[in-house]
Amino acid sequence: MNETVLAMTLAAAVAAGTPLALAAIGELITERAGILNLGVEGMMLLGAVTTFLVSLATGSPWIGMAAGALAGAGLSAAHAFLTITLRANQIVSGLALVIFGTGLSTFLGRPVEGMPLPRESRLPRMNIQLLQDLPLLGRVLFQQDVVVYGTWVIAALTAFYLFRTRPGLSLRAVGESPATADVMGLRVNTIRYVHTLVGGLLGGGAGAYLMLARVPAWSQAATTNGIGFIAIALVVFASWRPWRALLGALIFGLALRANFALQAAGVTFIPAEFLAMTPYLLTILVLIALSFSDLRRRAGAPEALGVPYAREER
Amino acid sequence: MPTTADDHPAGTTNGPGRDPVVEAHGIYKTFPGVVANADVDLRLERGEVHALLGENGAGKSTLASVLTGLYQPDAGEIRLDGRPVVLRSPREALAHGIGMVHQHFKLVKRFTVAENVALGDRTQPILMSAPDVHRSVVELSERYGLPVRPDAVVGDLTVGEQQRVEIVKTLYRGVDVLLLDEPTSVLTPQETEALFDTVRAMAADGKAVVFISHKLHEVLSIADTITVMRDGGIAGNVDAADTSVRELAQLMVGREVMMEAPGGDGQAGEVVLELDDVSVDERSRRGRLDQLSMTVRAGEVVGIAGVSGNGQRPLAEVAAGLIEPDRGRVRVNGRDVTGRPRAARKAGLSYVPEDRIGTGLASSLSVAENLQLTRAHRPLLDRGRWSTDARRLMEEFDIRAPGPSTTTSSLSGGNIQKVLLARELAADPDVIVAASPTRGLDVGAIEFVRQLLAQRREQGCGVLLISEDLDEIRALSDRILVLYEGRIVHECAAEDSDVTELGLAMAGAGS
Ligand SMILES: Nc1ncnc2c1ncn2[C@@H]1O[C@H](COP(=O)(O)OP(=O)(O)O)[C@@H](O)[C@H]1O
Ligand SMILES: [Mg+2]
């Protein structure tokens, strides 16, 4: 395989992994608070369609993106209210979010189904001076759009926040043992709300990015393609660590672009469809494994993941 | 940040009868179906060790939780230094200098000691200063005799160490009032002594220490003042200096009690239960067993002593055939029943699990149904016979329930345990595996359960009694084995058992 083709393939994988990474980091933040939000797919779809409509109306991809992120946060607010305040089952609420998000975005997007975004509403490429001239790496990593770089910054900030700061310690405590956090004087519900909303913001943002940079047109069926579920599995693969989520997103990104990659490599003995299927297959396996508490603990899941907290309950 | 020990209001001394730091008046607290606290008054002074004594379920933890803002009382008032306050959360209680070490520790297992201590400390900068926290931890641990290593991961510590972390983290927040809920229930006698020294040091520093316990001797040796609770109310308030075990026991129970089960000396006979070189790996928090061999003979009670979490649970479950050990065999009456609970029952084993409602009984079924659970049935159920059976057993085992069709979960703890025992003993077993059979019961029910076991032993049944209550083990057993990290580290006849020696063995420091 010549270097140009390799660089193009890897660059495409990086870009394809970016929405996955954004959504996974958001979900990771939410899960660190002990809240499992299976509604990522719904938040991404709603984020995507909102971004499309707002970008179309304002002509600005940035305003569109902000609106998309907020739409995701809005949906996650519903999840937070149901699971934290009303202490509903998190799995049921999360799946309801997917259904609701899908339905609502179909409804909102009906007038524009299949319509492409005008060129000026798409994200521009932003090459990084000097770094872009590095052999191979320059073309893979540094000739991308701003959201790709932003995602790296978000991963770095999240890791720093989680493991180096006081609020990060509080967040992890709430996910591990809300009762402990409570007696130590932390506001368990507030912390859970905030981080569920942040997760929604990033989930919506991931949908926005898909819309602005990845897919040619709004299509309810083809915009997210189940990436929201892959993101949830990715959090498990990453053992709830941001850098690993970013790396995992890249690998999954490569698999998602398998078609392209295999052709480029001249490999014919594995059908490309098979490779493209692997992220979904892995997702199903991981989600099954996640339902066993023993495996969940060993994978490094927050102890109280999925468990509602009520102070006076035993 | 570090403690503020010496902020007594000017002009006060530490003597009794001075200004109280905390007063509770007329506290009421109910949970669905239970009145946990009814018209409770409590008065704590600086520099005193105030014991809260009462049986399980008397309402001690509830009162403590109300005082630390964890539970909201239905009625009543709390005053701090004479001023009424409402404590809406543990956060507010901490801000007022009230902290608590809970019976079930509140620790993040995956965090280090220092991280657990610093958690929730808003005086820390956003980027926490680890050296500062470490220094405070070391300082406190030296001052109060609480050896802890700041960078140890809490999940790796023994229960005794975890308790020290709990105390350090509360002291770190600068509390003046510290409530310790059943702190000795997880400790060896030696660790208990060390804890008493710490408690005295804290009181000497002018803190008010509330020591919650149901153990009379302990309370007498550590407390200055004793408040006795019974059935959610206050049964009495006495000075430790002028009371006795007798008086306290009467206040606690409301009548005279006879705690020792009648122990005869029946001759032990054939081996009825045998564990042969059994090992269980640490699976999903069940604890482990390490090449353990032991036998129980007909007509003897073998008591397993040990600090909780040293393999009691897998021992009980392996003996009952519920889990298959990684190696080794289990025999009941000579028949191999390893990993086969039904075969174990058929061979003559009955099992009284520690977790009566989860494992022992189906709590949403009726009493009669629960009594039939382990029997063989024909395809069509004979409910008529069930209810006659149930009435007979209810009478024999003194189960207080409206009738055979009463839902089991609506019974009190003692009666639930009696249903379980009735079912297990009605099978007329040759060996009974009983795990913590009296935990959480009231004194009357404890007496009854102990007598039942003693009586079965008289009739030639072998009993494997697993309990964390050393007094119970000593009162009921013929032979005592000490379980430590999945191995039997000490064995002795009950009559010449020595608490110190047992305690050392329980701490893994035996011969
Ligand atoms: N959070 C709770 N929910 C329901 N019932 C409770 C709760 N806490 C305590 N109780 C009940 O209140 C009573 C008093 O319990 P507790 O205060 O724990 O007693 P103690 O600490 O003296 O053993 C018991 O009957 C117990 O079952
Ligand atoms: Mg209690």
Side-chain angles (χ1 to χ4, degrees), chain A residues 187-246:
Chain A
R187 299 182 204 274
V188 173
N189 285 358
T190 310
I191 292 175
R192 288 191 155 176
Y193 258 98
V194 167
H195 293 92
T196 305
L197 290 178
V198 171
L201 220 48
L202 290 178
Y209 177 68
L210 277 176
M211 202 64 252
L212 296 174
R214 305 289 316 154
V215 295
W218 162 252
S219 146
Q220 184 270 317
T223 300
T224 53
N225 263 324
I227 289 182
F229 286 102
I230 299 180
I232 295 167
L234 189 53
V235 175
V236 182
F237 277 119
S239 0
W240 289 264
R241 283 162 207 275
W243 283 118
R244 293 192 198 169
L246 190 63

Side-chain angles (χ1 to χ4, degrees), chain B residues 61 103 181-182:
Chain B
S61 300
Q103 191 169 359
D181 195 357
E182 306 260 4

Side-chain angles (χ1 to χ4, degrees), chain A residues 160 164-166 169 172-173 176 179-180 182-187 294 297 300-303 311-312, chain B residues 29 70-72 88-91 94 106-108 110 116 119 121-122 124 126 128 169 173 285:
Chain A
F160 183 78
R164 295 270 179 273
T165 69
R166 180 162 57 80
L169 185 74
R172 286 186 288 136
E176 291 289 332
T180 300
D182 193 12
V183 302
M184 296 304 278
L186 296 172
R187 299 182 204 274
D294 189 27
R297 193 170 308 119
E303 281 279 335
R311 193 178 272 164
E312 300 205 358
Chain B
K29 177 70 189 172
L70 198 59
Y71 290 172
Q72 296 309 304
R88 275 181 228 90
S89 64
R91 183 194 186 91
L94 271 174
K106 306 286 189 218
L107 292 168
V108 181
R110 285 189 178 141
N116 267 288
L119 193 60
D121 173 13
R122 278 169 302 152
Q124 280 283 327
I126 292 278
M128 302 224 286
K169 85 178 193 195
R173 300 296 278 273
R285 291 203 275 186

Side-chain angles (χ1 to χ4, degrees), chain B residues 190-486:
Chain B
Q190 286 81 359
E191 285 175 322
T192 301
E193 271 313 310
L195 172 69
F196 283 2
D197 289 340
T198 301
V199 167
R200 289 189 192 103
M202 292 190 297
D205 248 1
K207 298 186 193 308
V209 183
V210 176
F211 184 91
I212 300 177
S213 178
H214 62 266
K215 299 183 188 164
L216 302 167
H217 293 281
E218 251 172 40
V219 160
L220 273 174
S221 69
I222 187 72
D224 301 312
T225 315
I226 303 170
T227 296
V228 185
M229 291 190 74
R230 185 173 72 228
D231 293 339
I234 298 290
N237 182 293
V238 291
D239 246 358
D242 37 56
T243 183
S244 63
V245 172
R246 254 189 106 71
E247 186 191 10
L248 289 177
Q250 278 204 30
L251 282 174
M252 212 166 130
V253 185
R255 64 186 167 86
E256 296 246 24
V257 269
M258 205 266 298
M259 287 308 296
E260 306 280 310
D265 41 12
Q267 283 300 310
E270 296 283 294
V271 171
V272 286
L273 173 68
E274 182 183 7
L275 270 69
D276 182 11
D277 197 28
V278 169
S279 292
V280 176
D281 245 347
E282 192 123 13
R283 276 184 232 142
S284 62
R285 291 203 275 186
R286 281 163 184 275
R288 66 192 190 100
L289 295 178
D290 188 5
Q291 302 186 13
L292 179 143
S293 295
M294 59 164 296
T295 56
V296 178
R297 292 173 176 280
E300 78 166 343
V301 177
V302 175
I304 302 288
V307 177
S308 96
N310 272 291
Q312 285 90 341
R313 177 137 177 223
L315 175 60
E317 294 184 347
V318 165
L322 282 177
I323 53 177
E324 170 129 34
D326 298 317
R327 57 182 274 182
R329 312 305 306 172
V330 179
R331 284 180 276 272
V332 174
N333 276 327
R335 252 171 288 168
D336 192 320
V337 300
T338 317
R340 292 182 301 147
R342 277 167 61 92
R345 280 189 182 278
K346 264 201 163 140
L349 177 135
S350 277
Y351 176 44
V352 181
E354 170 180 351
D355 165 23
R356 25 197 106 107
I357 290 171
T359 316
L361 298 167
S363 62
S364 57
L365 298 187
S366 71
V367 172
E369 285 165 334
N370 265 302
L371 288 171
Q372 295 291 334
L373 275 183
T374 53
R375 308 273 174 86
H377 294 292
R378 275 169 285 159
L380 292 180
L381 306 176
D382 183 355
R383 289 193 177 266
R385 192 173 56 77
W386 287 16
S387 98
T388 19
D389 273 7
R391 277 182 217 287
R392 184 173 51 75
L393 289 171
M394 284 169 66
E395 185 152 338
E396 186 181 336
F397 288 86
D398 187 29
I399 300 166
R400 313 240 170 102
S405 54
T406 307
T407 309
T408 309
S409 60
S410 69
L411 304 184
S412 75
N415 283 305
I416 288 177
Q417 182 71 333
K418 286 179 193 170
V419 173
L420 177 57
L421 279 164
R423 187 187 73 206
E424 293 302 313
L425 298 183
D428 218 357
D430 295 323
V431 49
I432 302 167
V433 174
S436 304
T438 62
R439 175 187 290 172
L441 303 187
D442 61 82
V443 172
I446 291 177
E447 247 179 312
F448 187 82
V449 169
R450 290 186 182 172
Q451 263 151 19
L452 270 181
L453 291 176
Q455 189 190 330
R456 286 293 161 144
R457 162 184 172 281
E458 292 297 289
Q459 295 165 6
C461 186
V463 179
L464 177 62
L465 173 67
I466 302 171
S467 170
E468 280 137 35
D469 181 346
L470 196 50
D471 297 332
E472 170 162 287
I473 294 273
R474 278 159 50 91
L476 284 181
S477 311
D478 299 293
R479 235 169 3 111
I480 299 178
L481 309 179
V482 176
L483 190 63
Y484 176 74
E485 295 200 337

Side-chain angles (χ1 to χ4, degrees), chain B residues 18-210:
Chain B
R18 307 291 150 183
D19 305 336
V21 232
V22 178
E23 279 170 292
H25 283 296
I27 301 291
Y28 274 90
K29 177 70 189 172
T30 54
F31 292 107
V34 220
V35 182
N37 279 177
D39 195 18
V40 171
D41 291 345
L42 187 74
R43 197 184 138 92
L44 307 176
E45 281 159 26
R46 291 172 205 283
E48 77 164 351
V49 179
H50 192 124
L52 209 50
L53 178 70
E55 295 180 45
N56 264 309
K60 307 179 297 290
S61 300
T62 301
L63 177 59
S65 296
V66 165
L67 289 177
T68 49
L70 198 59
Y71 290 172
Q72 296 309 304
D74 302 333
E77 186 183 63
I78 297 170
R79 282 191 217 146
L80 301 180
D81 288 318
R83 268 165 296 135
V85 289
V86 178
L87 302 172
R88 275 181 228 90
S89 64
R91 183 194 186 91
E92 292 186 7
L94 271 174
H96 283 106
I98 304 175
M100 174 165 172
V101 172
H102 291 262
Q103 191 169 359
H104 301 289
F105 297 156
K106 306 286 189 218
L107 292 168
V108 181
K109 295 253 163 59
R110 285 189 178 141
F111 283 9
T112 65
V113 170
E115 285 172 334
N116 267 288
V117 169
L119 193 60
D121 173 13
R122 278 169 302 152
T123 63
Q124 280 283 327
I126 292 278
L127 303 179
M128 302 224 286
S129 160
D132 272 3
V133 178
H134 279 226
R135 213 174 310 116
S136 309
V137 170
V138 171
E139 209 175 276
L140 285 168
S141 89
E142 280 168 5
R143 179 148 152 217
Y144 293 101
L146 294 161
V148 290
R149 287 164 294 136
D151 23 277
V153 173
V154 166
D156 298 338
L157 302 180
T158 66
V159 240
E161 288 172 309
Q162 292 189 2
Q163 183 178 69
R164 298 202 283 273
V165 177
E166 277 279 10
I167 298 176
V168 166
K169 85 178 193 195
T170 323
L171 290 171
Y172 174 87
R173 300 296 278 273
V175 299
D176 303 316
V177 179
L178 181 62
L179 299 97
L180 304 170
D181 195 357
E182 306 260 4
T184 60
S185 62
V186 296
L187 300 183
T188 64
Q190 286 81 359
E191 285 175 322
T192 301
E193 271 313 310
L195 172 69
F196 283 2
D197 289 340
T198 301
V199 167
R200 289 189 192 103
M202 292 190 297
D205 248 1
K207 298 186 193 308
V209 183
V210 176

